[in-house]
């Protein structure tokens, strides 16, 4: 075992692993086909056994569910779909009793159009809350929307309110109007709400699209994309003029100097590594870590559903770049998977011939980098994308809007369905596979989204009893982070960055090294001679225990521990 000190309490999250729960698809306790809080409580032992430290819950607040809860109608209550505040309190208590922290998803770039703040704001230009949202008259030049921006879910980012003749801004669905953070009352209402959750016992927050809150109030037009007829307005609202001020103020006002054991995680579209280094510099008092998108948009061509192949060296170049350039003070999130992304084993691995091998190789490659790993529910089982073949299979607003629009426009159905199968957010949202029974143990009723038919083979029940399962491998991986400070603190050096099949790197700290060598391909690959040092010991592998093996089988991964002292010419 490697020598070294445990991370300090003030940055406990560097040695932690976060598990994301998408409550609607996790576990249903009451048979209505939708997951709920009591379902989560009933499955906490699975999470404790896995060994994760923090649970992040996607939104559980009252919501019209236009965007599965990312349209919040009341920030300080629980949607009856998911349970009650009493259930929530019990969940927090039961999680804490198992040493699991709870992080809530805070969606404050926008509210639901059913939130009382928006209902009040919409009542007319004289409303005291009119300025809480972005209302503007029609453009003088066109009489149409005030800017040419498109929304992320298709169409204009502006919606006309016939009663007042003004438009309001919605970067996502029309039912998700954007809050105006220029207004100090908006900011203090959000801070008060977050303090209320802290007082209820939560340990931190994941902040949805938080770098979009500081719009340039001039709202300038963008450059029109001829394909959609709308502009990408991001240059005028992502990482906007007052973003650092808002984030520092939020941390100050919400944590009030008591950061201990707490965490703020920001989700950020269009964020570069230099921006992220600033957002996560502890000296600036903003965020502890950010989700960036660079590596998960490499397979987007001109837009998200224009799917292009990604050669391994490109993926490595992106991940390595973040590893190498976030600086000594910045901190990464490590993720390939969440409720918006296709399943990694289907996207990057081989979910047919090498499901277990590729799920474990990919996880190992990701987890042993510098940063905090995030496991999205079912990833620890190697869950694959569900079959999506017709409009009726889709549930997600973004996918439905895209597929309808593309098919109506006469695009080739095969291309459209390929795009859905490889890019849709619905890929992540099929129910958690607990066992081999009718609805995978997710519900006794009719699931809101059909379970993947492969649940007879791929399920938690089976994997918990199998030492060679994806689940067992995740347990070993998480345990390795917990006990080995090189994983937490080590420098990162990429190895063979141009190699078409090997993903390899070395971490080093305090004279100790960890070398990760993974075969990200369906064919055997020889291990380069310089990576086969005899004085290293194998600490983790998904292909047996033969330390002297000279070849990596398809999707095999090996992690070696060594010391720089034993190899003075190596760093
Ligand atoms: O997502 C941010 C976001 O814009 C993308 O991930 C988006 O889901 C889409 O893939 C763009 O093509 C966050 C939430 O994670 C997502 O579920 C919400 O729909 C979105 O914000 C709005 O709240």
């Amino acid at each position: 075992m490697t020598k070294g000190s445990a991370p300090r309490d003030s940055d406990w999250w560097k040695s932690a692993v976060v598990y994301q729960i998408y409550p609607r698809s996790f576990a249903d306790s009451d048979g209505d086909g939708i997951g709920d809080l009591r379902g989560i409580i009933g499955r906490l032992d699975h999470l404790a056994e896995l060994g994760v430290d923090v649970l992040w819950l996607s939104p559980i607040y009252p919501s019209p569910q236009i965007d599965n809860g990312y349209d919040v109608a009341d920030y300080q209550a629980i949607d009856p779909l998911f349970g009650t505040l009493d259930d929530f309190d019990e969940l927090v208590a039961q999680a804490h009793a198992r040493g699991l922290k709870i992080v809530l998803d805070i969606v404050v770039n926008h509210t639901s159009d059913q939130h009382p703040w928006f209902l009040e704001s919409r009542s007319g230009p004289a409303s005291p809350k009119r300025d809480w949202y972005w209302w503007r008259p029609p453009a003088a030049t066109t009489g149409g929307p005030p800017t040419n921006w498109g929304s992320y879910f298709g169409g204009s980012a502006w919606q006309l309110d016939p009663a007042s003749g003004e438009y309001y801004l919605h970067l996502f669905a029309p039912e998700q109007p954007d809050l105006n953070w220029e207004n100090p009352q908006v900011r203090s209402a959000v801070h008060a709400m977050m303090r209320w959750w802290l007082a209820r016992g939560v340990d931190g927050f994941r902040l949805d699209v938080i770098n979009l809150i500081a719009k340039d109030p001039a709202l300038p037009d963008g450059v029109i994309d001829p394909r959609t007829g709308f502009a990408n307005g991001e240059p005028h609202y992502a990482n906007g003029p007052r973003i650092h001020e808002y984030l520092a103020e939020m941390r100050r006002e919400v944590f009030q100097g008591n950061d201990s054991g707490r965490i703020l995680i920001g989700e950020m579209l269009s964020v570069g590594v230099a921006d992220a280094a600033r957002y996560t510099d502890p000296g600036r008092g903003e965020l502890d870590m950010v989700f960036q998108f660079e590596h998960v948009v490499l397979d987007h061509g001109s837009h998200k559903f224009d799917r292009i192949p990604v050669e391994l060296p490109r993926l490595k170049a992106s991940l390595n770049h973040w590893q190498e350039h976030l600086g000594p003070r910045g901190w990464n999130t490590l993720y390939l998977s969440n409720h918006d992304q296709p399943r990694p084993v289907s996207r990057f691995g081989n979910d047919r011939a090498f499901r277990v091998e590729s799920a474990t190789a990919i996880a190992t490659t990701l987890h042993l980098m510098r940063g905090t790993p995030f496991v999205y529910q079912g990833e620890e089982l190697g869950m694959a994308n569900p079959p999506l073949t017709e409009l009726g299979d889709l549930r997600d607003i973004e996918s439905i809007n895209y597929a309808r629009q593309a098919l109506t426009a006469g695009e080739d159905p095969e291309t459209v369905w390929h795009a859905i199968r490889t890019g849709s957010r619905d890929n992540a949202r099929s129910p958690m596979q607990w066992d081999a029974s009718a609805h995978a143990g997710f519900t006794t009723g009719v699931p809101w989204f059909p379970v993947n038919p492969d649940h007879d083979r791929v399920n938690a029940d089976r994997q918990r009893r199998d030492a060679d399962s994806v689940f067992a491998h995740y347990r070993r991986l998480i345990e390795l982070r917990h006990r080995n400070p090189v994983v937490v603190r080590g420098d990162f050096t990429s190895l063979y960055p141009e190699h078409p099949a090997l993903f390899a790197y070395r971490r080093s700290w305090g004279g100790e090294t960890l070398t990760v060598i993974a075969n990200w391909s369906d064919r055997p690959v020889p291990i380069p001679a310089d990576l086969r040092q005899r004085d290293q010991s194998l600490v983790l592998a998904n292909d047996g225990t033969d330390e002297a093996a000279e070849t990596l089988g398809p999707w095999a991964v090996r992690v070696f521990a060594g010391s720089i002292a034993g190899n003075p010419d190596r760093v």
Side-chain angles (χ1 to χ4, degrees), residues 20 22 56 58-59 67-71 105-110 152-153 171-173 176 206-210 212 234 267-269 293 296-297 300 304-305 335 338-341 396-398 423-425 429:
Q20 182 190 356
Y22 197 61
W56 148 30
S58 276
D67 188 17
N68 288 357
Y70 285 87
D71 46 325
D105 209 318
I106 296 288
V107 190
V108 286
N109 172 69
H110 44 269
Y152 289 106
F153 294 157
L171 294 181
F172 293 90
Q176 293 168 295
R206 177 266 189 188
L207 305 164
D208 191 64
V209 292
I210 200 64
L212 307 188
E234 275 176 6
E267 187 207 28
M268 298 198 162
L269 296 176
F293 280 71
V296 290
V297 300
H300 301 188
K304 169 172 176 163
F305 290 106
Y335 82 97
N338 62 39
H339 65 293
D340 294 332
Q341 301 295 331
D396 171 35
I397 179 171
E398 180 185 61
S424 170
R425 307 198 297 183
R429 300 179 181 181

Side-chain angles (χ1 to χ4, degrees), residues 229-275:
F230 295 104
N232 174 359
E234 275 176 6
H236 308 298
Y237 59 71
N239 311 300
R242 298 179 66 185
I243 187 65
H244 293 286
E245 172 196 337
Y246 293 162
L247 291 175
E249 178 188 57
M250 177 188 281
R251 190 176 192 99
R252 235 177 18 246
E253 294 295 320
V254 174
F255 286 168
Q256 302 190 308
N258 181 9
D259 298 26
S260 178
R262 293 177 168 167
I263 190 167
L264 274 184
I265 308 161
E267 187 207 28
M268 298 198 162
L269 296 176
S270 286
V271 67
V273 70
D275 295 322

Side-chain angles (χ1 to χ4, degrees), residues 289-365:
M289 58 186 88
V290 303
F291 289 117
Q292 55 93 11
F293 280 71
E294 190 182 283
H295 61 296
V296 290
V297 300
L298 294 174
D299 56 8
H300 301 188
S302 57
H303 59 100
K304 169 172 176 163
F305 290 106
D306 173 19
R307 311 295 296 177
I308 57 172
V310 180
E311 302 301 323
L312 183 64
R314 273 188 75 214
L315 178 67
K316 288 192 287 186
S318 173
L319 290 169
N320 291 345
H321 180 74
W322 280 77
Q323 288 292 302
E324 287 158 359
H325 291 94
L326 205 49
R329 299 171 66 78
W331 192 250
N332 285 291
T333 57
L334 303 173
Y335 82 97
L336 292 171
S337 189
N338 62 39
H339 65 293
D340 294 332
Q341 301 295 331
R343 293 285 183 178
V345 71
S346 303
R347 187 183 195 176
F348 303 103
N350 180 334
D351 63 9
R352 283 154 196 264
F354 301 110
R355 198 184 56 81
V356 174
E357 295 84 345
S358 61
T360 49
I362 291 168
T364 308
T365 311

Side-chain angles (χ1 to χ4, degrees), residues 25 55 79 123 128 150 188 240-241 256 275 294 309 348 371 416 429 485 503 531 564:
S25 300
L55 307 181
D79 194 306
S123 68
S188 31
Q256 302 190 308
D275 295 322
E294 190 182 283
F348 303 103
V416 172
R429 300 179 181 181
F503 201 142
L531 299 185
I564 295 173

